[in-house]
């Protein structure tokens, strides 16, 4: 029976049998018992499916990954210890030293540093492009060794909406997959696979958890990219893996080749796994995701409209505003709402922005974003403080940008707190 997305949020992943726990159990165990050495050997050779060590797979983690996979409409998913790990694995699974990939420049600051600094040390080069550039200018950035294109459905912190269909076509024209970080939109408001995306990532720390209780990530594979059609470009998937007796992932696992490799190679060797306890907490958040996202969007829309009319506000970027340049894209990809995150700037200096935040009452200054509680951050002073003003602008982050993550409290109280903080400026 095909289920609606609301039902998957509540019922997906864990299907208890007779006499089993109604709630997803926490399999808090590193290892799993088998009766014979041969049974264990077949697991190590990827000839059988099963559990033998939690670094590779765990029933609690897999149940939650399965739920997210169903929400996104993929063929397989794997949980990671953070959103950063998910983005790193998603790219590193098909890139190696000497390779190149492309990403938009407005992505989250942590991902920007991961791609532009850390992965460069591994010999993997990244080109940052402005998604506002025309096709010709962006396509000129593709090289023979380009392995993927990366973007965010809604950029963090700028709030830019990514034209998934446009960049999927562009990536496929050059024989590479499109990877989309769908953290802010969540599958409640956007399912990138339906627009041509090949691989989706999430920081499950954000809306999926919704309560700031655990750090985690996930990679979901659509199964739609034909790796064998570009065999020479993706040898890690299409040629023998010596660490598994010459196994070829595309031949052995078909549409699940990419996600199987990410587990059997990257998790095996790098081990960025979430604890089963964290996966359990994530599942509790997922059960109400379909209820919380409409409230986040409703509140954010009201706050964005209020900010736009406020005489102390210089600018507002929220794709739900009809005069916003991303409104047409939002209507296409996010017709039910985008997310609860608003980017705006105050009239005045960077110091004025900081003073405004210090004046807030119950709206907290925290690094976190996209959970039930309203919070605020000044990226230039916090998450992006390593960058100069010129680098901030190149990354699509204005020095005066304030990231307001609107929660699910009473919206009148949220506005009242913003107002009193502005009055004290």
């Amino acid at each position: 029976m095909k289920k609606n997305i609301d039902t998957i949020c509540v019922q997906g992943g864990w299907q208890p049998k007779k006499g089993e726990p109604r709630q997803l159990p926490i399999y808090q165990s590193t290892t799993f018992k088998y009766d014979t050495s041969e049974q264990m050997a077949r697991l190590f050779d990827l000839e059988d499916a099963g559990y033998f060590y939690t670094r590779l797979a765990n029933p609690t983690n897999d149940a939650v990954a399965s739920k997210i996979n169903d929400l996104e409409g993929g063929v397989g998913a794997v949980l990671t210890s953070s959103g950063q790990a998910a983005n790193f694995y998603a790219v590193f699974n098909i890139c190696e030293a000497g390779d190149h990939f492309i990403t938009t420049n407005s992505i989250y600051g942590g991902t920007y540093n991961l791609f532009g600094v850390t992965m460069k040390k591994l010999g993997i080069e990244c080109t940052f492009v402005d998604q506002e550039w025309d096709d010709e200018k962006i396509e000129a950035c593709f090289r023979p060794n380009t392995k993927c294109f990366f973007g965010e459905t809604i950029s963090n912190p700028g709030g830019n909406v990514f034209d998934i269909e446009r960049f999927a076509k562009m990536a496929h024209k050059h024989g590479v997959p499109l990877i989309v970080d769908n953290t802010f939109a969540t599958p409640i408001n956007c399912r990138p696979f339906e627009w041509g995306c090949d691989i989706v990532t999430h920081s499950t720390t954000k809306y999926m958890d919704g309560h700031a209780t655990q750090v985690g990530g996930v990679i979901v594979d659509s199964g739609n990219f034909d790796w064998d059609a570009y065999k020479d470009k993706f040898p890690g998937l299409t040629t023998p893996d010596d660490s598994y007796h010459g196994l070829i992932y595309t031949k052995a696992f078909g549409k699940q080749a990419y996600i199987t490799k990410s587990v059997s190679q990257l998790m095996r060797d790098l081990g960025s796994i979430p604890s089963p306890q964290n996966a359990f907490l994530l599942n509790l958040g997922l059960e109400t995701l379909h209820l919380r996202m409409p409230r986040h969007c409703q509140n954010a829309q009201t706050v964005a409209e209020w900010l736009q009319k406020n005489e102390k506000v210089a600018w507002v970027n929220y794709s739900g505003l009809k005069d916003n340049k991303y409104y047409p894209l939002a209507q296409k990809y996010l017709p039910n709402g985008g997310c609860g995150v608003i980017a705006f700037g105050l009239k005045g200096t960077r110091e004025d922005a900081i003073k405004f935040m210090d004046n807030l009452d119950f709206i907290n200054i925290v690094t976190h974003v996209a959970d039930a509680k309203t919070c605020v951050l000044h990226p230039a002073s916090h998450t992006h403080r390593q960058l100069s003003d010129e680098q901030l602008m190149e990354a699509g982050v204005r020095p005066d940008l304030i990231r307001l993550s609107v929660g699910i409290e009473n919206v009148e109280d949220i506005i009242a707190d913003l107002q009193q903080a502005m009055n004290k400026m």
Side-chain angles (χ1 to χ4, degrees):
M1 172 182 170
K2 186 176 180 180
K3 299 180 180 67
N4 289 309
I5 201 164
D6 296 10
T7 303
I8 295 172
C9 281
V10 180
Q11 296 274 5
W14 172 247
Q15 302 298 323
K17 300 179 181 64
K18 180 180 179 181
E20 289 186 334
R22 179 68 186 83
Q23 183 55 275
L24 173 66
I26 303 172
Y27 286 86
Q28 196 67 47
S29 179
T30 60
T31 50
F32 302 84
K33 175 187 176 295
Y34 288 87
D35 294 330
T36 69
S37 177
E38 176 62 21
Q39 290 172 343
M40 184 71 76
R42 290 183 65 81
L43 292 171
F44 271 98
D45 286 343
L46 303 183
E47 294 175 354
D48 282 348
Y51 301 99
F52 57 97
Y53 198 56
T54 284
R55 187 176 79 237
L56 284 161
N58 175 282
T60 306
N61 295 1
D62 281 4
V64 181
S66 177
K67 174 180 283 192
I68 297 172
N69 178 64
D70 289 347
L71 289 172
E72 285 287 8
V75 298
V78 59
L79 297 187
T80 62
S81 58
S82 67
Q84 281 287 84
N87 286 336
F88 173 53
Y89 279 19
V91 174
F92 194 54
N93 200 33
I94 49 177
C95 286
E96 56 187 48
D99 285 341
H100 168 262
F101 69 103
I102 301 171
T103 183
T104 56
N105 61 1
S106 58
I107 57 175
Y108 165 60
T111 311
Y112 192 98
N113 289 330
L114 168 66
F115 289 170
V117 179
T118 301
M119 293 190 73
K120 188 175 182 179
K121 296 176 182 177
L122 299 175
I124 300 170
E125 188 178 354
C126 178
T127 296
F128 294 90
V129 301
D130 188 331
Q131 68 181 44
E132 305 301 322
W133 291 350
D134 61 33
D135 287 4
E136 183 178 0
K137 187 173 182 179
I138 295 175
E139 289 197 53
C141 297
F142 282 87
R143 308 173 186 173
N145 63 336
T146 300
K147 296 299 178 71
C148 65
F149 196 112
F150 184 96
E152 294 176 345
T153 310
I154 304 172
S155 68
N156 177 14
N160 304 342
V161 179
F162 187 65
D163 192 342
I164 302 170
E165 191 170 36
R166 174 195 177 200
F167 290 106
K169 290 178 179 177
M170 194 181 300
H172 296 161
K173 177 181 176 181
H174 292 271
V176 301
L178 175 67
I179 303 174
V180 172
D181 184 330
N182 198 33
T183 296
F184 272 9
T186 81
I188 301 302
N189 287 339
C190 183
R191 285 159 53 101
F193 293 156
E194 296 175 357
W195 298 101
C197 165
D198 300 291
I199 297 152
V200 158
T201 65
H202 288 270
S203 170
T204 62
T205 318
K206 310 304 190 299
Y207 287 121
M208 284 189 168
D209 173 298
H211 303 86
T213 59
Q214 60 82 46
V215 174
V218 69
I219 306 169
V220 188
D221 182 15
S222 70
N224 292 331
F225 192 82
D226 188 351
W227 307 103
D228 279 325
Y230 307 96
K231 185 175 181 179
D232 294 340
K233 190 181 283 283
F234 302 104
L237 288 160
T238 62
T239 61
D241 180 352
D242 293 337
S243 67
Y244 284 108
H245 309 296
L247 175 146
I248 298 175
Y249 290 97
T250 53
K251 288 185 178 179
F253 302 104
K255 286 183 174 293
Q256 293 186 320
Y258 172 90
I259 207 71
T260 302
K261 179 177 179 289
S262 69
V263 174
S264 58
Q265 264 194 13
L266 301 188
M267 279 298 182
R268 178 195 65 186
D269 297 342
L270 302 176
S272 296
I273 60 161
S275 73
Q277 176 72 49
N278 277 11
F280 174 83
L281 292 171
L282 169 58
N283 188 59
L284 292 180
L286 287 167
E287 289 183 355
T288 60
L289 181 63
H290 62 297
L291 300 176
R292 290 182 284 106
M293 287 308 295
R295 177 62 176 245
H296 280 291
C297 295
Q298 179 185 17
N299 278 0
Q301 183 70 31
T302 302
V303 172
E305 291 172 0
W306 178 83
L307 287 169
Q308 195 172 45
K309 298 173 183 176
N310 193 293
E311 61 182 13
K312 295 187 177 182
V313 174
W315 59 272
V316 182
N317 188 25
Y318 186 71
S319 62
L321 298 173
K322 291 185 177 180
D323 61 349
N324 185 272
K325 69 177 181 179
Y326 296 108
Y327 184 78
L329 284 177
Q331 292 304 294
K332 176 178 179 178
Y333 297 115
L334 308 157
N336 297 322
C339 66
V341 181
I342 302 169
F344 73 98
L346 294 171
K347 294 176 182 176
T349 64
R350 178 185 291 197
E351 288 67 32
D352 289 323
I354 294 171
K355 185 176 180 181
F356 158 74
M357 293 192 300
D358 290 345
N359 289 338
L360 291 166
D361 179 20
F362 74 86
I363 297 176
N364 299 139
I365 303 172
V366 297
T367 305
H368 205 247
V369 66
D371 65 45
K373 299 179 177 69
T374 300
C375 55
V376 69
L377 186 79
H378 183 234
S381 301
H382 305 129
T383 55
H384 292 64
R385 68 178 295 112
Q386 310 97 314
L387 306 182
S388 66
D389 282 2
E390 182 179 281
Q391 290 173 319
L392 285 168
M393 293 301 291
E394 289 177 359
V397 179
R398 295 171 59 154
D400 63 340
L401 186 152
I402 295 172
R403 184 184 71 185
L404 177 64
S405 178
V406 181
I408 58 175
E409 306 94 343
N410 184 288
V411 72
E412 293 180 4
D413 292 337
I414 297 171
I415 291 173
D417 197 10
L418 296 171
Q419 183 66 73
Q420 66 82 23
M422 290 182 186
N423 290 343
K424 294 178 181 177
M425 287 174 61

